Amino acid sequence: DPATADPTAATAILAVPASRGTCPFDPPPAYERAREEEPAAPVRLWDGSITWMLTRHQDIRAVLGDRRFSADANRPGFPFLSAGRRALATMNASFIRMDDPEHARLRRMLTGDFIVKRAEALRPRIRAIAEDLLAAMTQGRSGERAGHADLVREFALPLPSLVICLLLGVPYEDHAYFQQRSSTILSNTAGLDEVRTARADLNAYIKQLTEAKRRRDEDDDILSRLIRHDDLTDDEIAAMGMLLLVAGHETTANMTALSVLALLRDPVQLGRLRADPTLIRGAVEELLRYLTIVHTGVARVATEDVEIAGRTIRAGEGVLCMINAANRDERVFPGAGVLDVGRDARRHLAFGFGVHQCLGQPLARTELQVALEVLLEGLPNLGLAVPFEEIPFRHDMLVYGVRSLPVAW
Ligand code: HEM
């Protein structure tokens, strides 16, 4: 039991998720301290249980690349961040919460849809969607004050929503329905019943859509292609559809809005991108590193005793890999606390690492690159419409970001 690993520290055990400090872009100071002082630290979860927290780049890569650590939330000891998250992860699991060989069998059915070549082929369509959203926003069709808008609502959220609905073959009219349920599912504070209901709603919706597509049998979208796999049950298809929707929706949206905010706060870096848009590709990697929106850690449970960071993690003990702390590890990223759009940030862990590394990353990259290009080209005078201190951050969500981003141009 990690609680007894260091009895003198028992009263000082950190509760996770920990609070951020003064800079809302920086990881909680307690994680950064742990990275330097106690790289494998026992920490306390919402229910009082104790798990391990890892914070160094090298240790997290080791764990996420090691098959002795399981992503199966049904195994005793798997660390959860709330009752709601536990309920969710243990219900009708998708392959993000499975181990190989089942994980590989299901993931393989989607890899063809998410290769770099596919994402590149989608670039013109993604660009057209982004340009339409920008035009609608600047023409004030939403009834906003002229020259002002909430960038989250008008641009950052609808862009990935439209793209994932397009890929899955989900009619866009149903987007508001999705939005609401998906954000409940991703909340760290939503109650058990709320999360259960949201999940059941989405599951029922996808099953209905699957039935409709089964009858049509000619659509060329991901759900329709999954239907044509003989060895997939409707439950498996629904779980995969849910995973893509939820994983592809709020992640890219929050990354877009938070990136814009970080750049508006750093006129030097913003100026570099405006002067040389070829820097945008690298800037997206640096922003992924610097902001690391999956900020409450990537969870695993040990299936055997494993030595990590000078400690023995016993079979059945949980591990939280704090990729936000690892992405600020000076051992890998000198000057890690500074946003530098010219940096080579490719070793970042913002998409995870190992067999579960983000399936959607080529798509996410294309969306983020296009979003920044279109915004910087289209809005040369983009700025915040409210003081920075009034921006509402999503501290309580699994995916970090801002709830709204009032901008002016
Ligand atoms: C997995 C981050 C966008 C689909 C992951 C994981 C991370 C992550 C950290 C690993 C979870 C783990 O190991 O337990 C992100 C970030 C995104 C993003 C930061 C945007 C900036 C997307 C998009 C899609 C997607 C656009 C799909 C349309 C997935 C899927 C998995 C995954 C299916 C599970 C892979 C597996 O278990 O094999 N993502 N993601 N993600 N992501 Fe993403």
Side-chain angles (χ1 to χ4, degrees):
D1 181 354
T4 56
D6 182 3
T8 58
T11 52
I13 288 181
L14 178 70
V16 292
S19 305
R20 289 182 189 250
T22 46
C23 176
F25 301 124
D26 290 344
Y31 299 175
E32 304 227 52
R33 232 175 2 254
R35 188 186 58 224
E36 303 316 313
E37 291 166 9
E38 196 176 11
V43 291
R44 192 180 304 282
L45 300 172
W46 61 283
D47 61 352
S49 67
I50 304 292
T51 198
W52 292 102
M53 176 176 82
L54 298 180
T55 41
R56 286 193 186 167
H57 191 277
Q58 172 194 322
D59 299 334
I60 289 177
R61 269 175 62 118
V63 164
L64 297 181
D66 187 330
R67 307 233 162 177
R68 293 173 296 173
F69 288 93
S70 167
D72 181 353
N74 286 304
R75 281 180 183 266
F78 189 91
F80 299 103
L81 290 168
S82 67
R85 300 228 58 83
R86 180 175 59 189
L88 188 69
T90 51
M91 273 164 87
N92 183 20
S94 56
F95 62 81
I96 195 169
R97 296 272 71 94
M98 292 178 191
D99 297 326
D100 288 346
E102 298 93 311
H103 161 265
R105 177 180 80 93
L106 295 168
R107 176 168 168 137
R108 208 177 299 124
M109 295 178 190
L110 289 173
T111 44
D113 284 293
F114 288 95
I115 54 175
V116 175
K117 207 170 75 184
R118 278 288 180 102
E120 281 306 322
L122 277 170
R123 190 180 285 270
R125 292 181 80 176
I126 295 173
R127 194 169 167 105
I129 294 173
E131 284 172 347
D132 285 352
L133 288 169
L134 189 75
M137 182 175 101
T138 52
Q139 285 155 21
R141 266 190 254 149
S142 58
E144 299 267 343
R145 237 175 349 136
H148 288 71
D150 173 7
L151 194 80
V152 172
R153 199 181 65 200
E154 304 288 323
F155 186 84
L157 204 46
L159 177 62
S161 290
L162 284 166
V163 173
I164 196 69
C165 288
L166 176 88
L167 291 183
L168 283 180
V170 171
Y172 189 64
E173 311 86 81
D174 298 338
H175 135 115
Y177 185 89
F178 268 120
Q179 200 74 60
Q180 203 215 333
R181 280 149 189 89
S182 149
S183 83
T184 304
I185 288 179
L186 291 171
S187 165
N188 285 332
T189 50
L192 203 74
D193 288 344
E194 235 184 313
V195 170
R196 281 212 176 107
T197 308
R199 202 188 180 295
D201 282 355
L202 270 187
N203 205 51
Y205 176 87
I206 295 181
K207 280 203 168 159
Q208 224 177 339
L209 189 66
T210 306
E211 306 253 297
K213 286 180 185 297
R214 239 186 235 294
R215 284 195 299 275
R216 281 201 297 278
D217 195 38
E218 79 254 1
D219 294 359
D220 185 34
D221 53 59
I222 292 178
L223 278 184
S224 299
R225 274 196 293 285
L226 289 177
I227 289 167
R228 293 197 274 273
H229 274 278
D230 299 330
D231 55 342
L232 276 181
T233 64
D234 274 11
D235 279 339
E236 285 175 324
I237 295 175
M240 273 154 98
M242 287 277 291
L243 173 61
L244 291 178
L245 264 170
V246 173
H249 211 113
E250 294 220 344
T251 43
T252 314
N254 280 293
M255 192 51 212
T256 302
L258 205 57
S259 296
V260 170
L261 180 59
L263 289 170
L264 292 177
R265 282 293 275 180
D266 194 333
V268 173
Q269 300 303 314
L270 179 60
R272 289 174 77 187
L273 292 189
R274 286 202 182 281
D276 182 3
T278 65
L279 289 176
I280 286 177
R281 270 174 199 253
V284 163
E285 299 312 308
E286 171 66 348
L287 287 159
L288 283 161
R289 178 194 74 82
Y290 181 73
L291 298 170
T292 316
I293 56 170
V294 178
H295 68 146
T296 49
V298 175
R300 296 291 187 266
V301 57
T303 61
E304 293 173 32
D305 294 0
V306 185
E307 298 284 329
I308 294 282
R311 299 282 204 140
T312 303
I313 298 180
R314 303 269 171 213
E317 290 178 350
V319 181
L320 283 177
C321 298
M322 296 304 185
I323 54 178
N324 52 349
N327 279 341
R328 297 294 187 95
D329 191 338
E330 294 278 338
R331 296 163 192 83
V332 181
F333 306 106
V338 175
L339 176 69
D340 171 3
V341 297
R343 178 202 300 276
D344 179 359
R346 280 175 300 179
R347 293 182 70 202
H348 72 73
L349 300 174
F351 288 124
F353 184 76
V355 294
H356 288 282
Q357 194 178 46
C358 182
L359 174 75
Q361 57 182 290
L363 180 65
R365 288 194 163 100
T366 305
E367 290 180 313
L368 292 169
Q369 292 160 8
V370 166
L372 288 183
E373 277 162 23
V374 166
L375 284 174
L376 296 188
E377 277 167 33
L379 302 174
N381 296 315
L382 184 65
L384 284 182
V386 297
F388 182 72
E389 294 65 35
E390 288 176 21
I391 304 287
F393 288 89
R394 296 164 37 111
H395 290 288
D396 57 336
M397 303 293 276
L398 190 65
V399 175
Y400 190 57
V402 291
R403 290 181 204 287
S404 65
L405 186 60
V407 291
W409 54 86

